[in-house]
Amino acid sequence: MMNEQRRQVLQMLADGKLAADEAERLIDALGRERPESAPTPRGATRPKYLRVVAVDTSGDSGPSRLNIRVPLQLLRAGVRLASLIPPEALVKINKALDRSGIPIDLTELRPQNIEELIEQLGEVDIDVDDPGSRVQVFCE
């Protein structure tokens, strides 16, 4: 699969859809991904970032790129900040979230829960392909 991804980047370079430096960055990003045949053992290294990479080549004005790297420490800080919200406010927030279709109870959110979530995120690797775009979500 990795060789296919590299081939696609090189083809986009050959077709003039990517500049050489853009192709180099994409190939470097592909090289940082874990090989499928050698998964990282549990607990070997803790992921530090949640990465979202998207390339849309369907437009006439050239490829559109999105590369977001969210520190997982931000999730940890968010949980600690949530513990400072007064209980009355949490009830109102939970009701508003529920009305919006997000059934999350913030009163039940604990730091140990977020650590378990982050541990599981280390095994997340999502690829979405279609003819005009590519989206990847992974932890690094």
Side-chain angles (χ1 to χ4, degrees):
M1 182 172 165
M2 182 93 57
N3 288 335
E4 175 63 21
Q5 292 169 342
R6 290 176 194 265
R7 187 197 61 73
Q8 288 175 346
V9 170
L10 292 174
Q11 185 62 49
M12 290 168 58
L13 176 63
D15 293 344
K17 295 179 180 178
L18 286 177
D21 63 326
E22 296 167 333
E24 182 181 13
R25 283 195 306 263
L26 286 172
I27 289 174
D28 286 346
L30 290 172
R32 287 191 302 266
E33 290 183 15
R34 292 186 309 239
E36 291 181 16
S37 59
T40 303
R42 261 182 99 105
T45 59
R46 285 178 51 167
K48 294 182 181 178
Y49 300 97
L50 177 67
R51 175 73 63 109
V52 178
V53 179
V55 178
D56 181 8
T57 58
S58 62
D60 293 333
S61 63
S64 298
R65 287 169 299 287
L66 172 71
N67 187 350
I68 300 173
R69 193 169 88 165
V70 179
L72 293 175
Q73 191 61 31
L74 187 62
L75 293 175
R76 292 181 183 101
V79 170
R80 288 191 295 274
L81 286 175
S83 68
L84 299 175
I85 298 173
E88 307 82 37
L90 282 176
V91 170
K92 290 179 182 180
I93 292 169
N94 284 339
K95 286 180 182 177
L97 287 171
D98 193 47
R99 280 193 307 270
S100 299
I102 306 170
I104 296 175
D105 185 356
L106 294 179
T107 62
E108 297 298 318
L109 194 57
R110 304 281 182 267
Q112 59 271 24
N113 301 122
I114 201 69
E115 290 305 321
E116 185 177 326
L117 172 67
I118 290 172
E119 182 179 317
Q120 297 303 316
L121 279 175
E123 299 175 15
V124 169
D125 194 4
I126 302 169
D127 291 326
V128 178
D129 286 313
D130 72 38
S133 63
R134 172 152 183 78
V135 177
Q136 291 180 282
V137 179
F138 57 95
C139 287
E140 59 181 16

